[in-house]
Amino acid sequence: MKRIVSVHLLNDYSGSPKVLMQLLKSWIKNGMDAHLFTSGGRKGFLSDIPKVKNHLFWYRFSSNALIRILNFFLSQFFLMIKLLFFLKKSDVVYINTVLPFGAAIAGKLRGCKIIYHIHETSVKPKIFKNFLFGTAKMTAAKIVFVSEYLLKQESLIKNQELLYNVLESDFTEKADRFRNVEKEIPVVLMICSLKVYKGVDEFLELARKNPSYIFKLVVNATEKEIHEYFKGKEIPKQLIIYPTQTDTHPFYQEAGIILNLSHPDLWVETFGLTILEGMRYGLPAIVAPIGGVTELVEDNKNGFLIDSKNTNELSEKLNYILNNPSVYQSFSEASYEKSLLFSEAYFERKSLQIISNL
């Protein structure tokens, strides 16, 4: 039985641990011995996956940048020591994101085959990015990228693969049941991290410009963090802000359109899983014009590619989609059709091929 040792730094409800959860379920389903090393102390997509053997290592996130970087390097030292005693030469070490470099060093020292699954390009500062991506280049037998854009942007070694993020079958089954529900007042939805570079402020501005629509913002943050971020900011009456949600289906069900307003100069969206989820519900999308998200949204077919700083154009296109029933229907159908390409069957087939062809 092939043993796969997967490693992820911070377990939460964001995109990269969700993808690893899908991989782990696929490996277990196909009779592999799957182990997971991640930091403890919080719930996320990697919590309590049946038949996955869990191993925790210490890491504590801090809002203070200096303490955060110290904690990070300390956590990688502990992880490296733990793995040096745990790994066998025959293991495949599967590193999710570029962050857990301690696993790459331990895997290399133990003579294991190392696979990196890279989700991001916007790692800062540059010296930190060079260190992490340099470690991946030196240690990896294979590197997996989540989009064509990212593969071209960060090409590191010869043995590289493209594995698109996909939707789980239980998500698609639920989405297909509720896809054609009638909506009275258009709801404009954005699901993202609570960061300036994710376009949160532009979403507020858009809500101010369009008082006839309901705006819903779901952020990966606590009520306290939301209060801190929006302190002193004027929040339009028809904008509702929600903390971290474990079930996003109700939001997609009532939405009329989904947005991703990331700032390409600060954060390039390398895939856009929430956009794909919205598309499965037949939602047209407005997204940034750069990055992997452009592989999901075709301009003027199932949405628009617009720079988030241009709130006037965003507002204009928002109204164009929502106020023209024939345009909306055409975009909605195109969104749904596109989402069908990103299936669990494709993901399982391709992910197993990646593991076997080492």
Side-chain angles (χ1 to χ4, degrees):
M1 189 190 285
K2 183 172 279 194
R3 192 166 86 150
I4 302 183
V5 180
S6 59
V7 188
H8 183 83
L9 181 64
L10 194 64
N11 179 24
D12 60 13
Y13 289 103
S14 60
S16 55
K18 186 171 192 175
V19 172
L20 183 56
M21 173 193 72
Q22 290 170 304
L23 284 165
L24 284 160
K25 285 180 176 178
S26 171
W27 298 333
I28 288 290
K29 183 181 166 189
N30 286 276
M32 294 180 191
D33 182 16
H35 292 255
L36 169 66
F37 280 75
T38 190
S39 55
R42 61 195 292 170
K43 285 277 182 187
F45 285 120
L46 298 172
S47 306
D48 311 318
I49 304 170
K51 297 184 182 175
V52 172
K53 299 171 184 79
N54 293 298
H55 310 265
L56 301 180
F57 62 89
W58 180 88
Y59 172 67
R60 189 160 293 130
F61 181 83
S62 171
S63 51
N64 179 300
L66 184 61
I67 294 171
R68 185 162 68 245
I69 200 81
L70 284 171
N71 283 356
F72 171 69
F73 277 97
L74 199 56
S75 78
Q76 292 312 293
F77 175 74
F78 291 145
L79 172 63
M80 183 183 72
I81 298 300
K82 202 162 188 174
L83 283 170
L84 280 171
F85 285 99
F86 180 79
L87 291 173
K88 301 171 190 167
K89 192 177 179 179
S90 56
D91 291 341
V92 174
V93 179
Y94 202 99
I95 300 173
N96 196 43
T97 80
V98 289
L99 292 171
F101 73 91
I105 295 169
K108 194 73 175 172
L109 290 171
R110 298 290 283 153
C112 304
K113 288 278 195 291
I114 296 164
I115 301 175
Y116 262 88
H117 197 127
I118 296 184
H119 302 253
E120 67 283 284
T121 184
S122 305
V123 178
K124 291 188 172 65
K126 198 165 193 332
I127 190 170
F128 187 48
K129 176 177 177 173
N130 289 343
F131 169 70
L132 292 174
F133 277 78
T135 304
K137 189 175 182 177
M138 285 190 301
T139 59
K142 185 177 282 190
I143 296 180
V144 179
F145 292 95
V146 298
S147 64
E148 189 78 45
Y149 166 82
L150 191 56
L151 192 148
K152 287 175 180 168
Q153 188 82 6
E154 300 293 352
S155 189
L156 294 167
I157 60 173
K158 265 189 177 174
N159 197 2
Q160 300 183 144
E161 298 268 8
L162 171 61
L163 177 62
Y164 281 118
N165 296 341
V166 298
L167 303 173
E168 289 180 283
S169 54
D170 60 351
F171 184 96
T172 58
E173 283 159 18
K174 198 164 186 179
D176 291 351
R177 285 204 305 275
F178 289 94
R179 188 163 58 91
N180 295 315
V181 172
E182 285 294 316
K183 291 143 189 177
E184 289 174 30
I185 302 169
V187 172
V188 182
L189 175 66
M190 188 160 89
I191 302 175
C192 63
S193 302
L194 186 56
K195 307 285 184 190
V196 170
Y197 58 71
K198 286 289 193 174
V200 171
D201 295 346
E202 283 76 14
F203 193 74
L204 255 73
E205 180 61 26
L206 209 52
R208 286 190 201 106
K209 286 177 185 282
N210 296 278
S212 58
Y213 307 136
I214 295 168
F215 284 74
K216 296 202 170 185
L217 177 63
V218 181
V219 289
N220 190 13
T222 62
E223 292 281 10
K224 187 184 173 191
E225 287 164 337
I226 291 168
H227 179 73
E228 284 295 313
Y229 185 94
F230 291 101
K231 197 190 288 179
K233 289 184 171 143
E234 188 192 331
I235 298 172
K237 279 181 189 157
Q238 86 288 10
L239 168 62
I240 311 162
I241 302 161
Y242 298 85
T244 303
Q245 301 290 311
T246 54
D247 179 13
T248 50
H249 283 282
F251 296 95
Y252 294 122
Q253 285 165 20
E254 62 188 7
I257 189 167
I258 188 158
L259 308 187
N260 179 307
L261 303 180
S262 293
H263 299 184
D265 55 332
L266 297 171
W267 178 271
V268 176
E269 211 60 64
T270 51
F271 184 74
L273 195 56
T274 59
I275 294 298
L276 179 59
E277 288 177 342
M279 285 165 59
R280 188 68 187 210
Y281 271 93
L283 302 182
I286 297 178
V287 302
I290 298 170
V293 76
T294 63
E295 291 161 52
L296 298 172
V297 180
E298 295 173 69
D299 201 43
N300 205 21
K301 187 173 180 188
N302 61 344
F304 288 105
L305 310 176
I306 304 170
D307 191 315
S308 60
K309 302 265 172 65
N310 194 342
T311 51
N312 287 333
E313 193 186 350
L314 283 170
S315 192
E316 183 193 313
K317 291 294 194 276
L318 186 69
N319 283 287
Y320 172 71
I321 294 171
L322 293 176
N323 294 333
N324 290 285
S326 61
V327 170
Y328 187 90
Q329 190 60 30
S330 166
F331 278 33
S332 175
E333 284 168 11
S335 264
Y336 181 72
E337 287 302 315
K338 185 81 173 178
S339 77
L340 297 177
L341 300 174
F342 300 85
S343 69
E344 206 173 52
Y346 146 79
F347 186 82
E348 187 174 322
R349 186 177 67 251
K350 181 84 187 200
S351 62
L352 292 173
Q353 179 196 319
I354 286 165
I355 293 289
S356 58
N357 297 345
L358 269 176

